[in-house]
Coordinates of all heavy atoms in Angstrom, one line a residue:
I243 N 80.3 -23.3 105.3 CA 81.7 -23.5 104.8 C 81.7 -23.2 103.3 O 80.9 -23.7 102.5 CB 82.1 -24.9 105.0 CG1 82.0 -25.3 106.5 CG2 83.5 -25.1 104.5 CD1 82.3 -26.7 106.8
K244 N 82.6 -22.3 102.9 CA 82.7 -22.0 101.5 C 83.4 -23.1 100.7 O 84.5 -23.5 101.0 CB 83.5 -20.7 101.3 CG 83.5 -20.2 99.9 CD 84.3 -18.9 99.7 CE 84.3 -18.4 98.3 NZ 85.0 -17.2 98.1
L245 N 82.7 -23.7 99.8 CA 83.3 -24.7 98.9 C 83.8 -24.2 97.6 O 83.3 -23.1 97.2 CB 82.2 -25.8 98.6 CG 81.6 -26.5 99.9 CD1 80.5 -27.4 99.4 CD2 82.6 -27.2 100.7
R246 N 84.7 -24.8 97.0 CA 85.3 -24.3 95.8 C 84.2 -24.4 94.7 O 83.4 -25.3 94.7 CB 86.5 -25.1 95.3 CG 86.2 -26.5 95.0 CD 87.5 -27.2 94.4 NE 87.2 -28.6 94.0 CZ 88.1 -29.3 93.3 NH1 89.2 -28.8 93.0 NH2 87.8 -30.6 93.0
S247 N 84.2 -23.4 93.8 CA 83.2 -23.4 92.8 C 83.6 -24.3 91.7 O 84.7 -24.2 91.1 CB 83.1 -21.9 92.3 OG 82.2 -21.9 91.2
E248 N 82.7 -25.2 91.3 CA 83.1 -26.2 90.2 C 83.1 -25.5 88.9 O 82.3 -24.6 88.6 CB 82.0 -27.3 90.2 CG 82.0 -28.2 91.4 CD 83.2 -29.1 91.6 OE1 83.9 -29.3 90.6 OE2 83.5 -29.6 92.7
K249 N 84.1 -25.9 88.1 CA 84.2 -25.5 86.7 C 84.8 -26.6 85.8 O 85.8 -27.2 86.2 CB 85.0 -24.2 86.6 CG 84.9 -23.5 85.2 CD 85.5 -22.1 85.3 CE 85.2 -21.3 84.1 NZ 85.8 -19.9 84.1
F250 N 84.1 -26.9 84.7 CA 84.5 -28.0 83.9 C 85.2 -27.6 82.6 O 84.8 -26.6 82.0 CB 83.3 -28.9 83.6 CG 82.6 -29.5 84.9 CD1 81.7 -28.8 85.6 CD2 83.0 -30.8 85.3 CE1 81.2 -29.4 86.7 CE2 82.5 -31.3 86.4 CZ 81.5 -30.6 87.2
L251 N 86.1 -28.4 82.2 CA 86.8 -28.2 80.9 C 86.7 -29.5 80.1 O 87.2 -30.5 80.5 CB 88.3 -27.9 81.2 CG 89.2 -27.7 79.9 CD1 88.7 -26.5 79.1 CD2 90.6 -27.6 80.2
A252 N 85.9 -29.4 79.0 CA 85.8 -30.6 78.1 C 86.8 -30.5 77.0 O 86.8 -29.5 76.2 CB 84.3 -30.6 77.6
C253 N 87.6 -31.5 76.9 CA 88.7 -31.5 75.9 C 88.3 -32.4 74.7 O 88.0 -33.6 74.9 CB 90.0 -32.0 76.5 SG 90.6 -31.0 77.8
I254 N 88.2 -31.8 73.5 CA 87.8 -32.6 72.4 C 88.8 -32.6 71.2 O 89.7 -31.8 71.3 CB 86.4 -32.1 71.8 CG1 86.6 -30.7 71.2 CG2 85.3 -32.1 72.9 CD1 85.4 -30.2 70.4
S255 N 88.6 -33.5 70.3 CA 89.5 -33.6 69.2 C 88.6 -33.6 67.9 O 87.4 -33.4 68.0 CB 90.4 -34.8 69.2 OG 89.6 -36.0 69.1
T256 N 89.2 -34.0 66.8 CA 88.5 -34.1 65.5 C 87.7 -35.5 65.5 O 87.0 -35.7 64.5 CB 89.4 -34.0 64.3 OG1 90.5 -34.9 64.4 CG2 89.9 -32.6 64.2
N257 N 87.8 -36.3 66.5 CA 87.0 -37.5 66.5 C 85.6 -37.1 66.9 O 85.3 -36.9 68.0 CB 87.6 -38.5 67.6 CG 86.9 -39.8 67.6 OD1 85.7 -39.9 67.6 ND2 87.6 -40.9 67.7
A258 N 84.7 -37.1 65.9 CA 83.4 -36.5 66.0 C 82.5 -37.1 67.1 O 81.9 -36.5 67.9 CB 82.7 -36.5 64.7
E259 N 82.5 -38.5 67.0 CA 81.6 -39.2 68.0 C 82.0 -39.0 69.4 O 81.2 -38.8 70.3 CB 81.5 -40.7 67.6 CG 80.7 -40.9 66.3 CD 79.3 -40.3 66.3 OE1 78.6 -40.5 67.3 OE2 79.0 -39.6 65.4
T260 N 83.3 -39.2 69.6 CA 83.9 -39.1 71.0 C 83.7 -37.6 71.5 O 83.3 -37.4 72.6 CB 85.4 -39.4 71.0 OG1 85.5 -40.8 70.6 CG2 85.9 -39.3 72.5
A261 N 83.9 -36.7 70.6 CA 83.7 -35.3 71.0 C 82.3 -35.0 71.4 O 82.0 -34.3 72.4 CB 84.1 -34.4 69.8
K262 N 81.3 -35.5 70.7 CA 79.9 -35.3 71.0 C 79.6 -35.9 72.3 O 78.8 -35.3 73.1 CB 79.0 -35.9 69.9 CG 77.6 -35.5 69.9 CD 76.8 -36.2 68.8 CE 77.2 -35.6 67.4 NZ 76.4 -36.2 66.4
I263 N 80.1 -37.1 72.7 CA 79.8 -37.7 74.0 C 80.4 -36.8 75.1 O 79.8 -36.6 76.1 CB 80.5 -39.1 74.0 CG1 79.7 -40.1 73.1 CG2 80.5 -39.7 75.4 CD1 80.3 -41.4 72.8
V264 N 81.7 -36.4 74.9 CA 82.3 -35.6 75.9 C 81.5 -34.3 76.1 O 81.3 -33.8 77.3 CB 83.8 -35.2 75.5 CG1 84.4 -34.2 76.4 CG2 84.6 -36.5 75.5
I265 N 81.1 -33.6 75.1 CA 80.3 -32.4 75.2 C 79.0 -32.6 75.9 O 78.7 -31.9 76.9 CB 80.1 -31.8 73.8 CG1 81.4 -31.2 73.2 CG2 79.0 -30.7 73.9 CD1 81.3 -30.9 71.7
R266 N 78.3 -33.6 75.5 CA 76.9 -33.8 76.2 C 77.1 -34.2 77.6 O 76.4 -33.7 78.5 CB 76.2 -34.9 75.4 CG 75.7 -34.5 74.0 CD 74.8 -35.6 73.4 NE 74.4 -35.2 72.1 CZ 73.4 -34.4 71.8 NH1 72.7 -33.9 72.7 NH2 73.1 -34.2 70.5
K267 N 78.0 -35.1 78.0 CA 78.2 -35.5 79.3 C 78.8 -34.4 80.2 O 78.4 -34.3 81.4 CB 79.1 -36.8 79.4 CG 78.4 -38.0 78.8 CD 79.1 -39.3 79.2 CE 78.3 -40.5 78.7 NZ 78.9 -41.8 79.1
T268 N 79.6 -33.6 79.7 CA 80.2 -32.5 80.5 C 79.0 -31.5 80.7 O 79.0 -30.9 81.8 CB 81.4 -31.8 79.8 OG1 82.3 -32.8 79.5 CG2 82.0 -30.7 80.6
A269 N 78.2 -31.3 79.7 CA 77.0 -30.4 79.9 C 76.1 -30.9 81.0 O 75.7 -30.1 81.8 CB 76.2 -30.4 78.6
R270 N 76.0 -32.2 81.1 CA 75.2 -32.7 82.2 C 75.8 -32.5 83.6 O 75.2 -32.1 84.5 CB 75.0 -34.2 82.1 CG 74.1 -34.6 80.9 CD 72.7 -34.2 81.1 NE 72.0 -34.9 82.1 CZ 70.8 -34.6 82.6 NH1 70.2 -33.5 82.3 NH2 70.2 -35.3 83.6
L271 N 77.1 -32.7 83.6 CA 77.9 -32.4 84.9 C 77.8 -30.9 85.3 O 77.5 -30.6 86.4 CB 79.4 -32.8 84.7 CG 79.7 -34.3 84.7 CD1 81.1 -34.5 84.3 CD2 79.4 -34.9 86.1
A272 N 78.0 -30.1 84.3 CA 77.9 -28.6 84.6 C 76.5 -28.2 85.0 O 76.3 -27.4 85.9 CB 78.3 -27.8 83.3
S273 N 75.5 -28.8 84.4 CA 74.1 -28.6 84.8 C 73.8 -29.0 86.2 O 73.2 -28.3 87.0 CB 73.2 -29.2 83.8 OG 71.8 -29.1 84.2
Y274 N 74.4 -30.2 86.5 CA 74.2 -30.8 87.9 C 74.8 -29.9 88.9 O 74.1 -29.6 90.0 CB 74.9 -32.1 87.9 CG 74.7 -32.8 89.3 CD1 73.6 -33.6 89.6 CD2 75.8 -32.7 90.2 CE1 73.5 -34.2 90.8 CE2 75.7 -33.3 91.5 CZ 74.5 -34.1 91.8 OH 74.4 -34.7 93.0
Y275 N 76.0 -29.3 88.7 CA 76.6 -28.5 89.6 C 76.3 -27.0 89.5 O 76.8 -26.2 90.2 CB 78.2 -28.7 89.6 CG 78.6 -30.0 90.2 CD1 78.9 -31.1 89.3 CD2 78.8 -30.1 91.5 CE1 79.3 -32.3 89.9 CE2 79.2 -31.3 92.1 CZ 79.4 -32.4 91.3 OH 79.8 -33.6 91.8
R276 N 75.5 -26.7 88.5 CA 75.1 -25.3 88.2 C 76.4 -24.5 88.0 O 76.6 -23.4 88.7 CB 74.2 -24.7 89.3 CG 73.4 -23.6 88.8 CD 72.5 -23.0 89.9 NE 71.6 -22.0 89.4 CZ 70.4 -22.1 88.9 NH1 69.9 -23.3 88.8 NH2 69.7 -21.1 88.5
S277 N 77.3 -24.9 87.2 CA 78.6 -24.3 87.0 C 78.9 -24.0 85.6 O 78.3 -24.5 84.7 CB 79.7 -25.2 87.6 OG 79.7 -26.4 86.8
G278 N 79.9 -23.1 85.4 CA 80.3 -22.8 84.1 C 81.2 -23.9 83.5 O 81.7 -24.7 84.2
W279 N 81.3 -24.0 82.2 CA 82.1 -25.0 81.6 C 82.6 -24.5 80.2 O 82.1 -23.6 79.6 CB 81.4 -26.3 81.4 CG 80.1 -26.3 80.6 CD1 79.0 -25.6 80.8 CD2 80.0 -27.1 79.4 NE1 78.1 -25.9 79.8 CE2 78.7 -26.8 78.9 CE3 80.8 -28.0 78.6 CZ2 78.1 -27.4 77.7 CZ3 80.2 -28.6 77.5 CH2 79.0 -28.3 77.1
I280 N 83.7 -25.1 79.8 CA 84.5 -24.7 78.6 C 84.7 -25.9 77.8 O 85.0 -27.0 78.3 CB 85.8 -24.0 79.0 CG1 85.6 -22.8 79.9 CG2 86.6 -23.7 77.8 CD1 86.9 -22.4 80.6
V281 N 84.6 -25.7 76.5 CA 85.1 -26.8 75.5 C 86.3 -26.3 74.9 O 86.4 -25.2 74.3 CB 84.0 -27.1 74.5 CG1 84.5 -27.9 73.4 CG2 82.8 -27.7 75.1
L282 N 87.4 -27.2 75.0 CA 88.7 -26.8 74.4 C 89.1 -27.7 73.3 O 89.1 -29.0 73.5 CB 89.8 -26.9 75.6 CG 91.2 -26.7 75.1 CD1 91.5 -25.3 74.6 CD2 92.2 -27.0 76.3
Y283 N 89.5 -27.2 72.2 CA 90.0 -27.9 71.1 C 91.4 -27.4 70.8 O 91.6 -26.2 70.5 CB 89.2 -27.8 69.8 CG 89.8 -28.3 68.6 CD1 90.2 -29.6 68.5 CD2 90.1 -27.4 67.5 CE1 90.9 -30.1 67.3 CE2 90.7 -27.9 66.3 CZ 91.1 -29.2 66.2 OH 91.7 -29.7 65.1
V284 N 92.4 -28.3 71.0 CA 93.8 -27.9 70.7 C 94.2 -28.4 69.4 O 94.2 -29.6 69.1 CB 94.8 -28.5 71.8 CG1 96.2 -28.0 71.5 CG2 94.3 -28.1 73.2
Q285 N 94.4 -27.5 68.5 CA 94.7 -27.8 67.1 C 96.2 -28.0 66.9 O 97.0 -27.0 66.9 CB 94.2 -26.8 66.1 CG 94.3 -27.2 64.6 CD 93.9 -26.0 63.7 OE1 94.5 -24.9 63.8 NE2 92.9 -26.3 62.9
S286 N 96.7 -29.2 66.7 CA 98.1 -29.4 66.5 C 98.4 -29.1 65.0 O 97.5 -29.0 64.2 CB 98.5 -30.8 66.8 OG 97.8 -31.7 66.0
S287 N 99.7 -29.0 64.7 CA 100.1 -28.8 63.3 C 99.6 -29.9 62.3 O 99.4 -29.6 61.2 CB 101.6 -28.6 63.2 OG 102.3 -29.7 63.7
S288 N 99.5 -31.1 62.9 CA 99.0 -32.2 62.0 C 97.5 -32.1 61.8 O 97.0 -32.9 60.9 CB 99.3 -33.5 62.7 OG 98.7 -33.6 64.0
E289 N 96.8 -31.2 62.5 CA 95.4 -31.1 62.3 C 95.0 -29.7 61.8 O 93.9 -29.2 61.9 CB 94.6 -31.3 63.6 CG 94.6 -32.8 64.1 CD 93.6 -33.0 65.2 OE1 93.3 -32.1 65.9 OE2 93.1 -34.2 65.3
S290 N 96.0 -29.1 61.1 CA 95.7 -27.8 60.4 C 94.6 -28.0 59.3 O 94.5 -29.1 58.8 CB 96.9 -27.2 59.9 OG 97.5 -28.0 58.9
L291 N 93.9 -26.9 59.0 CA 92.8 -27.1 58.1 C 93.1 -27.6 56.7 O 92.3 -28.3 56.1 CB 92.1 -25.7 57.9 CG 91.4 -25.1 59.2 CD1 90.8 -23.8 58.9 CD2 90.4 -26.1 59.7
D292 N 94.4 -27.4 56.3 CA 94.8 -28.0 55.0 C 95.2 -29.5 55.1 O 95.5 -30.1 54.1 CB 96.0 -27.2 54.4 CG 97.2 -27.1 55.3 OD1 97.0 -27.3 56.6 OD2 98.3 -27.0 54.8
K293 N 95.2 -30.0 56.3 CA 95.6 -31.4 56.5 C 94.5 -32.4 56.9 O 94.7 -33.6 56.9 CB 96.8 -31.5 57.5 CG 98.1 -30.8 57.0 CD 99.2 -31.0 58.0 CE 100.5 -30.3 57.4 NZ 101.6 -30.4 58.4
I294 N 93.4 -31.8 57.4 CA 92.3 -32.7 57.8 C 91.2 -32.7 56.7 O 90.9 -31.6 56.1 CB 91.7 -32.4 59.2 CG1 91.2 -31.0 59.2 CG2 92.8 -32.6 60.2 CD1 90.5 -30.7 60.6
K295 N 90.5 -33.8 56.6 CA 89.4 -33.9 55.6 C 88.2 -32.9 55.9 O 88.0 -32.6 57.0 CB 88.9 -35.3 55.5 CG 90.0 -36.3 55.0 CD 89.4 -37.7 55.0 CE 90.5 -38.7 54.5 NZ 90.0 -40.1 54.5
L296 N 87.5 -32.6 54.8 CA 86.4 -31.6 54.9 C 85.3 -32.2 55.8 O 84.7 -31.4 56.6 CB 85.8 -31.3 53.5 CG 86.7 -30.4 52.6 CD1 86.0 -30.3 51.2 CD2 86.8 -29.0 53.2
D297 N 85.1 -33.5 55.8 CA 84.0 -34.0 56.7 C 84.4 -33.9 58.1 O 83.5 -33.6 59.0 CB 83.7 -35.5 56.3 CG 84.9 -36.4 56.5 OD1 86.0 -35.9 56.4 OD2 84.7 -37.6 56.8
K298 N 85.7 -34.0 58.5 CA 86.1 -33.8 59.9 C 86.0 -32.4 60.3 O 85.6 -32.1 61.4 CB 87.6 -34.3 60.0 CG 87.7 -35.8 60.2 CD 89.1 -36.2 60.7 CE 89.2 -37.6 61.0 NZ 90.5 -38.0 61.7
Q299 N 86.3 -31.5 59.4 CA 86.1 -30.0 59.6 C 84.7 -29.7 59.9 O 84.3 -29.0 60.8 CB 86.6 -29.2 58.4 CG 88.1 -29.2 58.2 CD 88.5 -28.4 57.1 OE1 88.0 -27.3 56.9 NE2 89.5 -28.8 56.3
R300 N 83.8 -30.3 59.1 CA 82.3 -30.1 59.2 C 81.8 -30.6 60.6 O 81.1 -29.9 61.3 CB 81.6 -30.7 58.1 CG 80.1 -30.4 58.1 CD 79.4 -30.9 56.8 NE 79.4 -32.4 56.8 CZ 80.1 -33.1 56.0 NH1 81.0 -32.6 55.2 NH2 80.1 -34.4 56.1
H301 N 82.3 -31.8 60.9 CA 81.8 -32.4 62.2 C 82.4 -31.5 63.4 O 81.7 -31.4 64.4 CB 82.3 -33.8 62.4 CG 81.6 -34.8 61.5 ND1 80.3 -34.8 61.4 CD2 82.1 -35.7 60.6 CE1 79.9 -35.8 60.5 NE2 81.0 -36.3 60.0
L302 N 83.6 -31.0 63.3 CA 84.2 -30.2 64.3 C 83.4 -28.9 64.5 O 83.1 -28.6 65.7 CB 85.6 -29.9 64.0 CG 86.5 -29.2 65.1 CD1 86.6 -30.1 66.3 CD2 87.9 -28.9 64.5
I303 N 83.0 -28.3 63.4 CA 82.2 -27.1 63.5 C 80.8 -27.4 64.1 O 80.3 -26.6 64.9 CB 82.0 -26.5 62.1 CG1 83.4 -25.9 61.6 CG2 81.0 -25.4 62.1 CD1 83.4 -25.5 60.1
N304 N 80.2 -28.5 63.7 CA 78.9 -28.9 64.3 C 79.0 -29.1 65.8 O 78.1 -28.8 66.6 CB 78.4 -30.1 63.6 CG 77.9 -29.9 62.2 OD1 77.6 -28.7 61.9 ND2 77.8 -30.9 61.4
N305 N 80.2 -29.7 66.3 CA 80.3 -29.9 67.7 C 80.6 -28.6 68.4 O 80.1 -28.5 69.6 CB 81.5 -30.9 67.9 CG 81.1 -32.4 67.7 OD1 79.9 -32.7 68.0 ND2 82.0 -33.2 67.3
F306 N 81.2 -27.7 67.8 CA 81.4 -26.4 68.4 C 80.0 -25.7 68.6 O 79.7 -25.1 69.6 CB 82.2 -25.4 67.5 CG 83.7 -25.8 67.5 CD1 84.5 -25.4 66.4 CD2 84.3 -26.5 68.5 CE1 85.8 -25.7 66.3 CE2 85.7 -26.8 68.5 CZ 86.4 -26.4 67.4
K307 N 79.2 -25.9 67.6 CA 77.8 -25.3 67.6 C 77.0 -26.0 68.7 O 76.3 -25.3 69.5 CB 77.1 -25.5 66.3 CG 75.7 -24.9 66.2 CD 75.1 -25.1 64.8 CE 73.7 -24.6 64.8 NZ 73.0 -24.9 63.5
L308 N 77.1 -27.3 68.8 CA 76.4 -28.0 69.9 C 76.8 -27.6 71.3 O 76.0 -27.3 72.1 CB 76.7 -29.5 69.8 CG 76.1 -30.4 70.9 CD1 74.6 -30.4 70.9 CD2 76.6 -31.9 70.7
A309 N 78.1 -27.4 71.5 CA 78.7 -26.9 72.7 C 78.1 -25.6 73.1 O 77.7 -25.3 74.2 CB 80.2 -26.9 72.7
T310 N 78.1 -24.7 72.1 CA 77.6 -23.3 72.3 C 76.1 -23.4 72.7 O 75.7 -22.7 73.6 CB 77.8 -22.5 71.1 OG1 79.2 -22.4 70.7 CG2 77.3 -21.0 71.3
E311 N 75.3 -24.2 72.0 CA 73.9 -24.3 72.3 C 73.6 -24.8 73.7 O 72.6 -24.5 74.3 CB 73.2 -25.2 71.3 CG 73.1 -24.6 69.9 CD 72.6 -25.6 68.9 OE1 72.5 -26.8 69.2 OE2 72.2 -25.2 67.7
L312 N 74.6 -25.7 74.2 CA 74.4 -26.3 75.5 C 75.0 -25.4 76.6 O 74.9 -25.7 77.8 CB 75.1 -27.6 75.6 CG 74.4 -28.8 74.8 CD1 75.2 -30.0 74.8 CD2 73.0 -29.0 75.4
G313 N 75.5 -24.2 76.2 CA 75.9 -23.2 77.2 C 77.4 -23.1 77.5 O 77.8 -22.4 78.4
A314 N 78.2 -23.8 76.7 CA 79.7 -23.8 76.9 C 80.3 -22.6 76.2 O 79.8 -22.0 75.3 CB 80.3 -25.1 76.4
E315 N 81.5 -22.2 76.8 CA 82.4 -21.3 76.1 C 83.4 -22.2 75.3 O 83.9 -23.1 75.8 CB 83.2 -20.5 77.1 CG 84.2 -19.6 76.5 CD 85.1 -18.9 77.5 OE1 84.9 -19.1 78.7 OE2 86.1 -18.2 77.1
V316 N 83.5 -21.9 74.0 CA 84.4 -22.7 73.1 C 85.7 -22.0 72.9 O 85.8 -20.8 72.5 CB 83.7 -23.0 71.8 CG1 84.6 -23.7 70.9 CG2 82.4 -23.7 72.0
L317 N 86.8 -22.7 73.2 CA 88.2 -22.2 72.9 C 88.9 -23.1 71.9 O 88.8 -24.3 71.9 CB 89.0 -22.3 74.2 CG 88.5 -21.4 75.4 CD1 89.5 -21.6 76.6 CD2 88.5 -19.9 75.0
K318 N 89.5 -22.4 70.9 CA 90.2 -23.1 69.9 C 91.7 -22.6 69.9 O 91.9 -21.4 69.7 CB 89.6 -22.9 68.5 CG 88.3 -23.6 68.3 CD 87.6 -23.1 67.0 CE 86.9 -21.8 67.3 NZ 86.0 -21.3 66.2
I319 N 92.6 -23.4 70.3 CA 94.0 -23.0 70.4 C 95.0 -23.8 69.6 O 94.9 -25.1 69.6 CB 94.4 -23.0 71.9 CG1 93.5 -22.1 72.7 CG2 95.9 -22.7 72.1 CD1 93.8 -22.1 74.2
K320 N 95.9 -23.2 68.9 CA 96.9 -23.9 68.1 C 98.1 -24.2 69.0 O 98.7 -23.3 69.5 CB 97.3 -23.1 66.9 CG 96.1 -22.9 65.9 CD 96.6 -22.1 64.7 CE 95.5 -21.9 63.6 NZ 95.9 -21.2 62.5
S321 N 98.4 -25.5 69.1 CA 99.6 -25.9 69.8 C 100.0 -27.3 69.6 O 99.1 -28.1 69.4 CB 99.4 -25.7 71.3 OG 100.4 -26.2 72.1
D322 N 101.2 -27.6 69.6 CA 101.7 -29.0 69.4 C 101.9 -29.7 70.8 O 102.2 -30.9 70.9 CB 103.0 -29.1 68.6 CG 102.7 -28.9 67.1 OD1 101.6 -29.4 66.6 OD2 103.5 -28.2 66.4
D323 N 101.8 -28.9 71.9 CA 101.9 -29.5 73.2 C 100.5 -29.5 73.8 O 100.1 -28.6 74.6 CB 102.9 -28.6 74.1 CG 103.2 -29.3 75.4 OD1 102.5 -30.2 75.8 OD2 104.3 -29.0 76.0

Side-chain angles (χ1 to χ4, degrees):
I243 302 172
K244 187 178 179 181
L245 302 175
R246 66 174 182 171
S247 178
E248 294 289 344
K249 194 168 189 179
F250 295 88
L251 178 66
C253 301
I254 67 169
S255 68
T256 52
N257 185 315
E259 289 306 312
T260 300
K262 193 179 290 184
I263 290 169
V264 170
I265 289 168
R266 289 187 185 277
K267 290 194 173 183
T268 306
R270 291 293 290 166
L271 285 169
S273 174
Y274 179 86
Y275 286 99
R276 202 180 183 89
S277 63
W279 63 296
I280 301 165
V281 168
L282 172 65
Y283 167 60
V284 182
Q285 184 186 61
S286 63
S287 54
S288 63
E289 287 194 336
S290 58
L291 294 180
D292 59 334
K293 292 182 180 178
I294 61 173
K295 294 179 180 179
L296 286 174
D297 62 331
K298 281 195 171 185
Q299 291 182 38
R300 187 173 66 255
H301 289 312
L302 190 61
I303 290 169
N304 287 339
N305 280 329
F306 290 154
K307 183 181 177 184
L308 173 64
T310 302
E311 288 174 349
L312 289 173
E315 176 188 356
V316 176
L317 296 179
K318 293 167 278 186
I319 297 176
K320 293 182 180 180
S321 173
D322 283 322
D323 192 339

